[in-house]
Amino acid sequence: MAVLPIRISGDPVLHTPAAPVIDFDDTLRTLVSDMFETMDAAPGVGLAAPQAGRPLRLFVYSWTDDDDVLHRGVAINPVLWITPTTTDELDEDEESEGCLSFPGERFPLRRAERVILQAIDLDGEAFEVETGGWLARIFQHEYDHLNGVLYVDRLTHPHAKAAAKVSRKNSWGVPGLSWLPGRDHLED
């Protein structure tokens, strides 16, 4: 197992729709294992293959809910069914989100309260998870990565403006930038 470099906003692999996983082999198993290790080291609650520089439709997730139930798994070639979002005022504390590909920053973003995730596991078995709350947010965030969308791409004013300023200040938005969990600096 290995910790993989995490690509930073601007790398083309993050802004391009990922390809379906076709081969369920040892290479895929190693990638998934490395993605779990990378996510845990970051630390994060999800990691999509494009964030690790692999343009494949899969993500891993790991989150413990308020009842101490661990939700941990891999979703390969997922389909996500999303309920409509509310038009209520955005709660900047409860709806704040971060991303390992936009490291160290958090911005509020409206997400659907409930989702249904349909995917395949490492053994090629189909599964379905119907969920709400934070796990639904994780699934939406990671699913966006598979479609070439970062959460900062969905932000509205004034948060979009603040994210753009952070990107410029950090010289992000260009190909080739990454960071390695466990180190304090960004690599290029």
Side-chain angles (χ1 to χ4, degrees), residues 61 73-76 78 117-122 124-129 139:
Y61 60 93
V74 58
I76 301 170
L117 172 70
Q118 297 172 326
I120 300 169
D121 66 18
L122 266 177
E125 298 294 324
F127 69 92
E128 181 174 297
V129 177
F139 288 167

Side-chain angles (χ1 to χ4, degrees), residues 76-81 116-119 143:
I76 301 170
N77 297 333
V79 174
L80 193 65
W81 303 93
I116 299 172
L117 172 70
Q118 297 172 326
Y143 189 78

Side-chain angles (χ1 to χ4, degrees), residues 52-129:
R54 310 317 194 275
L56 297 171
R57 295 192 71 78
L58 75 102
F59 65 81
V60 296
Y61 60 93
S62 184
W63 173 70
T64 302
D65 66 23
D66 292 338
D67 296 323
D68 286 329
V69 175
L70 176 64
H71 303 271
R72 187 173 175 93
V74 58
I76 301 170
N77 297 333
V79 174
L80 193 65
W81 303 93
I82 302 170
T83 61
T85 58
T86 176
T87 57
D88 295 342
E89 188 173 328
L90 187 63
D91 183 324
E92 294 192 16
D93 293 324
E94 293 295 316
E95 296 180 281
S96 182
E97 198 167 305
C99 180
L100 297 176
S101 290
F102 207 86
E105 302 297 326
R106 294 187 68 80
F107 296 100
L109 176 65
R110 173 64 37 86
R111 295 280 190 182
E113 179 57 31
R114 298 211 50 86
V115 300
I116 299 172
L117 172 70
Q118 297 172 326
I120 300 169
D121 66 18
L122 266 177
D123 296 320
E125 298 294 324
F127 69 92
E128 181 174 297
V129 177

